[in-house]
Amino acid sequence: MTAINIEQQPAATIPQPTPHFLTGNIAEIDPTFIASSFWRLASIYGPIFKLDLPGRPVAVLSDHELINEACDEDRFEKGVSGPLKEIRALTGDGLFTAYGDEPVCTTHYFLYPQLMMQQNWGKAHRILMPAFGPLAIRKMFPQMMDIASQMILRLAFDTIGICAFNYRFNEFYLDQPHQFASEMAEVLVESGKRSSRPAIENRLRIWSAAHNQENIMLMHSLCDKLVAERRQNPKPEINDLLNVMLNAKDPVTGEGLSDENIRYQMVTFLVAGHETTSGTLSFIFYHLLRNPEKLVAAQEEVDRIIGDNAIEEKHLQQLKYVEACIREALRFQPPITAFSREAKKPTRLAGKYEVDPSWQIVCNLKGLHLDPKIWGDDAETFRPERLLNGGWERMPRNAWKPFGNGARACIGRSFAEQEMILNVALILQRFQVELTDSSYDLRLKSTLTVKPEGFKMKVKRRPGKSILVGIPGAPTGPQSVTSIRGDDSARSLRATEPPSSQKSLLVLYGSNAGTCKGFAEELISSAAQYGFLAQVQTMDSAVENLPANQPVIIITPSYEGKPADNAKKFVSWLEANSDSSSKLSGVQYAVFGAGNSEWHATFHRVPKLVNELMTKMGGTQIVPEGLCDVRGDILGPWEDWQEKLWKGLSEGGSTMPDIKDKMQVKIYRPEHIDVLAGSEISIGIIKENRQLAVADVSSEKRHMEIELPRGMSYRTGDYLVVLPLNSQEIVQRVLKRFGFQGDDKISIQGTSKEFLKNQTPLTMYELLATRVELGTPASQRQIATLAEAIPAGSQRKALERLQSDDVYKSETLKQRFSIIDLLEDAPACTIDITTYLDMLKPLVPRQYSISSSPLASTSDALDDDIDHPLVASLTYDVHCAPASWSNHGPFHGVASTHLARRPAGTRIRCFVRPTNAGFHLPSDPETPIILVAAGTGLAPMRGFLQERATLAAAGARKLGPAILYFGCRDVDQDFIYKDELAAWEREGVVSVRPAFSRRGPDNGGTPKKYVYERMWDDREELAELFANRGAKIFVCGSAGKLAKSTAEVTQQIYLERHPEKTEQEAFEWLQGIKETRYVSDVFD
């Protein structure tokens, strides 16, 4: 058989976006965040693509197979280009930025020709490598502990300063960063900008170049000063890198480092170490706080191994879970986004892609570290356990590269790892940590590295931990808490001491949408009337800190069986400690929960779980748990439970004081109003708002496109959260009923309801339009309150009838009678504005599934070479219910009506909220997908298909099968996006299979009325895709209809293929694959 030489085979074409005349592919690159452009293009063009950029061609690699090959030191070497090349103005031929062939000194070439092949990098590397060896790093532990024990901000900068140069920047004691740090940050930003500009533009930017050079000179002067001082006053007893660089000799050349090269190495250590360590620590705590069960596990390990003792060097090797968390954070999002390689000679990657030594080869770490072929289907899930129990050792070669590659990898890796383990352990030993904003989602900013933007966490000393816990020489054990004067741990929840006339009460809430937070604030406002001084906190703030000296009230929702964002850590803590029957001994508590009955399998799971675990851990229940259904009467059960709670808290559970409102309202005549421009942060601009379907057979459906604020990003499948305004019509109805004008001013005092508070008086119109829910159905108690304010007569009898148990459920609640509806039809009611406002709930944001893909948005924007923000589209129903009992007109949904009336060019307040981890397209586009939707549940599916269409148009990636089952009523009336879906079907993006419940095509096709019927007919195909090809199912639509019927037909298909299984086993099978292979996003 004749051997085939691969190099002789025709080379494959490397995928590439269409280049433009003169500018090539520069329009594809975001100069403020180059890495994000590589990520986006890798999603479209796959594991390898080419760009024509100023100076040289670039090939970007984004999977393990190709990057592993590029790490071959025999064929490739480190490339210094882009931002690294620009930063050489600061770091010169330091270890990080030296060229591979950079000479030692031309004088040596003349005297010693045999040194021609020696490099300045090689000499410095050989001198410094022993200083970064395991033993040397261990010797730095005392200095690291000295800095880390201060446990304040900016620790990385000072740690490098003290360990490397015995110099204290003293950032801990400055209100602002040290001048050197500020100068360094400016140089890094400017270097990134210069690397993405054409050369001629850099030459024209004279002032920015001069300022950049001034910063560099100032930093160099500090380094030169330190070198000069050490040479003048040697300190041989100091164990630091500066002594090594000044005194050590290269074993090959016998030479030391020049002062110039020492300067370059010093700034290299500060730039590389500060940027990477500080960024990584932020990423670590972001992931731990977003995955509280991992945080609880890491803290448990620290407690078990270290306790209250000072951390010693021996402990670092035992903190395996902490180490795994750090490594997983570096895998998930390393601060260095890529490393560059260059071919030593013309060669081929994967045997087919030709690359030339003149090319820059970018190894995209996001593609490498999230490669599902290496890391599995959960590659985009933070899971430190994957690196334990042999997982780290089994990892394929070159699969984890946050520190670079080969001999040119980061020399300070061991230093950084020791520093990070030490500091994470110290924080977990001393503090409970919590997100400042529980709704925060990771946003990235870019300089030379990437780091979280706007990420803030708050810390609170753990109960029983003194201010000196973990500090060498400090007392340990129980006596350490009481023996230290001035210990401010008394500020914990356990230590709140109310005035002697009042009793303490702690109210904890979890909330995403604001409903349970509103309940908590209402409880606080009532507490003083019953003799309690209450404080309100998030549930997460109470981890390890539930008081036994005061009642604890917990108000929590259940989102498809999961806790709210600011309650996840608390629930994880309860679960982790559920084996301890005395952990909560002495704690008196009560639980109220909100849930959605459409999610029948997980209805009220979280409040019931919290109640069960607290009882199991020794807590004492004050009153039985209270539960409400957000699909029904949400206020009635809450009001009933409050009454039981106050009775239970009253001594003997008997008498209760009369409830008297303390809220005070003053009305002001209008004054001159200055209209000031507000912040543009989280303000979206509506670009398009068009009708998709009229309201003949169902509700009106609309399509809206919103230009997002710069810096805001999203993933396909995420939500856009919109803060609506009440309509002008309903606001005017309230104003008319109480006899006010819209520009009358109102001042509210004496309430704990945050949504009603304001530092200065505001207009009545602003209060009613922006702060409160005006259309919420009235509760039975609220109707009773209105009836009591009416003299005996027909109006009172009508209200009493509406609040009776039978009529309320069958008529009042069903027709959504609001308080203003009832007031208008009962003009004899004498309640005042104070009572009315105190009845209202806060106006909460509404979330909508985004119906577009960011890949398509960016690709479209690039066509005109202009920098555009992302555009997100919404597909939404305009909710309108039948007229109520007294002809006030139809009920209009607050948010959907607000959106429908906003013309193009107007602005709305919005932000992106990530969906659950599973509701995203598979990372491998060849994985088959089965999409099931009805009505505007098509929104996220359209985003998925738009992304697939973008990939198909690029032509670089193969797509697996995709089937869309779409439920409509009428083929002509509400088959939304029909033409777009047909075009995508012709392009091979999707197979569209609609089901029409009322009227289908006139040609007699599609006889099946419902989605589940079509799925049952296609069961053989679906089973083959799911069982044999790893298909993933996505469901979006009504929880009570589409989601329920889809789950049932899926279980039926399973049972048909597994006749030996029972229906209960089929149900358990489906529950077991939810969030991985069968994911849903359902609504009412």
Side-chain angles (χ1 to χ4, degrees), residues 244-259:
V244 175
M245 291 189 288
L246 287 171
N247 302 314
K249 303 297 182 183
D250 176 18
V252 175
T253 65
E255 298 178 340
L257 299 178
S258 66
D259 284 2

Side-chain angles (χ1 to χ4, degrees), residues 275-285 326 329-330 333-335 420:
E275 284 284 296
T276 54
T277 302
S278 60
T280 301
L281 286 170
S282 297
F283 283 126
I284 291 167
F285 279 100
I326 294 171
L330 284 167
Q333 180 58 75
M420 288 187 289

Side-chain angles (χ1 to χ4, degrees), residues 725-766:
L725 301 175
N726 286 309
S727 68
Q728 183 175 352
E729 293 88 341
I730 195 170
V731 171
Q732 290 296 340
R733 288 171 59 195
V734 176
L735 291 172
K736 180 180 178 181
R737 174 61 177 79
F738 289 100
F740 297 121
Q741 296 297 315
D743 55 359
D744 288 342
K745 284 189 174 180
I746 181 170
S747 172
I748 300 177
Q749 298 175 348
T751 180
S752 61
K753 295 180 179 181
E754 294 293 332
F755 64 95
L756 290 178
K757 292 179 180 179
N758 207 61
Q759 292 183 352
T760 58
L762 67 161
T763 67
M764 287 293 298
Y765 191 94
E766 181 183 358

Side-chain angles (χ1 to χ4, degrees), residues 1-279:
M1 180 178 292
T2 303
I4 298 176
N5 187 343
I6 294 179
E7 297 290 338
Q8 293 177 352
Q9 298 300 308
T13 301
I14 298 178
Q16 178 181 7
T18 303
H20 295 264
F21 179 65
L22 295 180
T23 60
N25 295 119
I26 195 169
E28 299 282 355
I29 302 300
D30 177 357
T32 66
F33 200 158
I34 297 174
S36 67
S37 303
F38 292 158
W39 299 340
R40 174 182 59 83
L41 292 169
S43 296
I44 297 173
Y45 293 97
I48 182 171
F49 61 90
K50 178 186 174 185
L51 297 173
D52 289 336
L53 299 179
R56 65 195 306 196
V58 174
V60 180
L61 314 183
S62 298
D63 73 355
H64 175 259
E65 179 185 2
L66 293 170
I67 293 176
N68 180 50
E69 189 173 348
C71 288
D72 184 349
E73 294 286 295
D74 293 332
R75 297 169 56 202
F76 300 89
E77 60 186 354
K78 177 173 179 172
V80 178
S81 56
L84 280 188
K85 184 176 181 180
E86 292 295 335
I87 205 68
R88 278 176 56 87
L90 173 65
T91 59
D93 58 356
L95 288 174
F96 196 44
T97 51
Y99 294 126
D101 56 356
E102 197 151 13
V104 175
C105 175
T106 53
T107 303
H108 291 141
Y109 285 176
F110 177 75
L111 297 175
Y112 307 101
Q114 68 273 21
L115 298 182
M116 284 289 290
M117 297 306 294
Q118 296 300 331
Q119 304 150 350
N120 223 9
W121 170 83
K123 183 170 70 170
H125 184 77
R126 289 187 292 273
I127 289 174
L128 288 168
M129 195 62 191
F132 284 98
L135 293 178
I137 295 298
R138 290 177 185 175
K139 290 180 181 178
M140 295 180 187
F141 183 83
Q143 296 103 306
M144 282 189 180
M145 189 67 181
D146 176 29
I147 294 295
S149 294
Q150 297 176 56
M151 201 48 58
I152 313 178
L153 299 175
R154 305 161 188 162
L155 59 92
F157 205 62
D158 256 337
T159 302
I160 297 165
I162 195 69
C163 293
F165 323 128
N166 198 42
Y167 179 78
R168 290 183 182 267
F169 288 96
N170 285 330
E171 290 240 310
F172 299 131
Y173 311 113
L174 301 175
D175 292 334
Q176 300 295 327
H178 190 280
Q179 182 182 354
F180 190 101
S182 299
E183 294 159 354
M184 180 181 71
E186 290 183 5
V187 170
L188 294 179
V189 171
E190 180 62 18
S191 297
K193 292 179 179 178
R194 289 179 62 86
S195 69
S196 60
R197 297 178 191 142
I200 188 171
E201 182 180 353
N202 282 328
R203 287 195 291 270
L204 292 174
R205 290 182 176 265
I206 299 173
W207 297 112
S208 61
H211 182 65
N212 193 52
Q213 190 58 38
E214 179 185 4
N215 281 332
I216 290 172
M217 290 177 62
L218 289 171
M219 286 186 282
H220 283 174
S221 66
L222 175 60
C223 295
D224 293 344
K225 177 183 176 182
L226 294 177
V227 171
E229 288 179 353
R230 185 66 64 86
R231 287 197 185 279
Q232 186 175 354
N233 301 292
K235 297 180 179 179
E237 74 281 2
I238 298 292
N239 177 34
D240 66 6
L241 294 178
L242 185 54
N243 268 349
V244 175
M245 291 189 288
L246 287 171
N247 302 314
K249 303 297 182 183
D250 176 18
V252 175
T253 65
E255 298 178 340
L257 299 178
S258 66
D259 284 2
E260 179 187 57
N261 190 258
I262 291 174
R263 170 213 295 167
Y264 290 148
Q265 305 302 347
M266 291 172 74
V267 291
T268 294
F269 294 146
L270 287 168
V271 169
H274 172 262
E275 284 284 296
T276 54
T277 302
S278 60

Side-chain angles (χ1 to χ4, degrees), residues 264-562:
Y264 290 148
Q265 305 302 347
M266 291 172 74
V267 291
T268 294
F269 294 146
L270 287 168
V271 169
H274 172 262
E275 284 284 296
T276 54
T277 302
S278 60
T280 301
L281 286 170
S282 297
F283 283 126
I284 291 167
F285 279 100
Y286 168 79
H287 287 299
L288 289 177
L289 288 166
R290 274 289 175 230
N291 299 272
E293 71 281 3
K294 315 300 183 190
L295 176 58
V296 169
Q299 198 159 48
E300 185 278 328
E301 181 181 70
V302 170
D303 290 346
R304 175 167 40 84
I305 292 174
I306 303 172
D308 288 346
N309 300 308
I311 298 179
E312 300 177 28
E313 182 190 328
K314 65 179 182 181
H315 293 140
L316 301 183
Q317 305 301 316
Q318 301 172 44
L319 296 171
K320 295 300 184 183
Y321 193 81
V322 171
E323 181 183 54
C325 289
I326 294 171
R327 287 172 170 174
E328 178 73 346
L330 284 167
R331 179 193 73 84
F332 206 93
Q333 180 58 75
I336 299 295
T337 60
F339 59 89
S340 291
R341 307 288 286 166
E342 294 174 352
K344 294 182 177 180
K345 62 181 181 179
T347 188
R348 287 189 179 187
L349 285 166
K352 57 183 178 180
Y353 300 118
E354 290 184 348
V355 292
D356 188 82
S358 63
W359 290 21
Q360 178 188 0
I361 301 173
V362 174
C363 296
N364 169 25
L365 290 181
K366 184 172 184 178
L368 173 67
H369 288 170
L370 300 181
D371 187 343
K373 294 185 176 113
I374 302 301
W375 302 101
D377 292 336
D378 66 345
E380 297 188 41
T381 299
F382 181 80
R383 187 169 63 83
E385 291 79 5
R386 74 174 82 244
L387 301 175
L388 296 173
N389 301 318
W392 176 258
E393 292 75 15
R394 292 191 299 270
M395 184 172 57
R397 177 180 172 84
N398 296 321
W400 187 85
K401 307 294 287 187
F403 291 97
N405 181 68
R408 296 296 301 270
C410 176
I411 196 173
R413 172 178 172 176
S414 297
F415 180 98
E417 290 178 329
Q418 178 169 295
E419 181 186 9
M420 288 187 289
I421 293 174
L422 173 62
N423 283 289
V424 170
L426 276 172
I427 291 173
L428 296 181
Q429 183 188 36
R430 296 181 181 188
F431 302 112
Q432 283 296 348
V433 293
E434 184 181 353
L435 279 170
T436 301
D437 178 4
S438 63
S439 66
Y440 174 82
D441 186 44
L442 184 63
R443 302 189 304 274
L444 300 176
K445 63 179 179 181
S446 174
T447 53
L448 183 67
T449 64
V450 296
K451 54 186 73 66
E453 180 179 25
F455 171 68
K456 296 179 181 179
M457 66 181 189
K458 51 188 176 183
V459 300
K460 177 169 54 184
R461 189 168 317 133
R462 298 174 64 186
K465 303 283 188 179
S466 80
I467 195 171
L468 298 180
V469 68
I471 302 298
T476 60
Q479 73 278 9
S480 66
V481 178
T482 56
S483 63
I484 299 170
R485 300 294 180 188
D487 179 14
D488 63 356
S489 63
R491 287 181 287 178
S492 71
L493 300 180
R494 291 180 180 271
T496 301
E497 292 295 337
S500 57
S501 61
Q502 291 181 304
K503 296 172 285 188
S504 291
L505 178 70
L506 176 61
V507 181
L508 303 175
Y509 73 89
S511 184
N512 284 352
T515 302
C516 287
K517 182 181 180 182
F519 284 155
E521 291 175 353
E522 183 176 330
L523 204 62
I524 292 296
S525 67
S526 303
Q529 302 160 19
Y530 295 95
F532 288 93
L533 178 65
Q535 60 174 322
V536 62
Q537 302 279 352
T538 65
M539 291 169 66
D540 280 352
S541 69
V543 170
E544 290 192 327
N545 209 13
L546 283 174
N549 63 343
Q550 57 182 295
V552 178
I553 313 302
I554 297 174
I555 306 172
T556 177
S558 186
Y559 297 108
E560 293 192 71
K562 296 180 180 178

Side-chain angles (χ1 to χ4, degrees), residues 827-845:
C829 182
T830 59
I831 71 163
D832 59 13
I833 190 66
T834 300
T835 305
Y836 176 69
L837 291 177
D838 207 24
M839 288 180 171
L840 302 180
K841 299 301 177 188
L843 185 64
V844 296

